[in-house]
Every structure is written in structure tokens, then in C-alpha cells.
Amino acid sequence: MTKVLFVCLGNICRSPTAHGVFAHQVAESGLSDRIRVDSAGTSGWHDGGLPDSRSMQRAADHGYDLSFIRSRKVAPSDFVEQDYILAMDRENLKDLQKICPQEHAHKLRLFLDYADLPVSEVPDPYYGGNDGFERVLNLVELGGVALLDHLKKNLQ
Ligand code: 4NP
């Protein structure tokens, strides 16, 4: 089983979108028994909460369900148990690098590193308008396809 954890700041906008979209892409590819998907936040500010309603609505408009996701903070056990710990932006990556044991540091990457895109970060949409949420969804869909291609070649 290959385990993928998506990480952002609050775990209510970007990483739950990646969690729901990527789980959908994995299921469509018939790989749900080979790839496990999860998400978490570096902050813990929204522990136990549903994804942001704007993210849920935008995802639903595109056919993805995020209602099964509850926000949680990255836990020390994640560094041991996960295989891929994928940050949405450089700040998230830096925060993860500060708390990740050295022997697991190779698991940390920017999510969009796998995609051939002109951008390498999924921008935080929280304080912006609807455009930001649409952009998150589009980037996450593209990033998910690229990540799945990578994983298919490297399945454990
Ligand atoms: P996320 O967005 O990191 O994509 O979940 C945010 C959610 C909440 C906050 C900031 C960013 N906040 O300041 O509460």
C-alpha cells in the first residue's frame, strides 16, 4: 500500500480538495486498494471541522465529494507511516521540514513538483474570492493526474 498525505495550513481548503479529488482519481483508476489518501494541516486551527464551504461547493460543482473529510493537524506518526507527504506551498513545506525527523525528510515534497506546470505552489484561497477556489481545483486536478502517473510507475 502506498500512502499519500496532502498538507496545507488549515486543512480546510487546499489539502482537503487534493484529498477528495485525488481519492476520486485513484478510484477511477481502480487503484483504491493500492493507494491510500489522507490530508492534514500544519496549524491544527480547524481540528475536527469540515472543509470550507466554498471548497466543498466548488468541488461538488466539479463532481467531487469532500464531506467525509475532517480537519486534523499533522501528527508525528504521519512522518513514520506516510510514504509521500506533499505540501501545497513552500511555507507548508518549510513548516513540515522543521518538525520532520531526518530519516523521513525524503518523503517531503511540493505536490506540484510532479506536474509539468508553470507554477509550483497551490496558492492559499482562504482570504480571496471565488477565483482562488476555482484555481485550487484546477491545479489540484492537474497535479493529481501527474502524481498518479508517477505512482503507477512506483507502486509498492
Ligand atoms: P488552507 O487555507 O491552508 O488551504 O486550508 C486556509 C484555511 C484557514 C486559514 C488559512 C488558510 N486560517 O487562517 O484560518
Side-chain angles (χ1 to χ4, degrees), residues 118-151:
V119 293
S120 52
E121 301 179 287
V122 182
D124 184 347
Y126 190 67
Y127 290 108
N130 284 333
D131 288 4
F133 286 87
E134 184 66 22
R135 180 156 177 71
V136 167
L137 201 102
N138 292 334
L139 286 172
V140 159
E141 281 184 323
L142 293 169
V145 169
L147 176 61
L148 196 52
D149 271 353
H150 169 83
L151 293 184

Side-chain angles (χ1 to χ4, degrees), residues 8-16 45-46 92 124-127:
C8 62
L9 176 61
N11 189 215
I12 57 168
C13 299
R14 293 166 292 172
S15 60
W45 292 336
H46 298 272
N92 307 146
D124 184 347
Y126 190 67
Y127 290 108

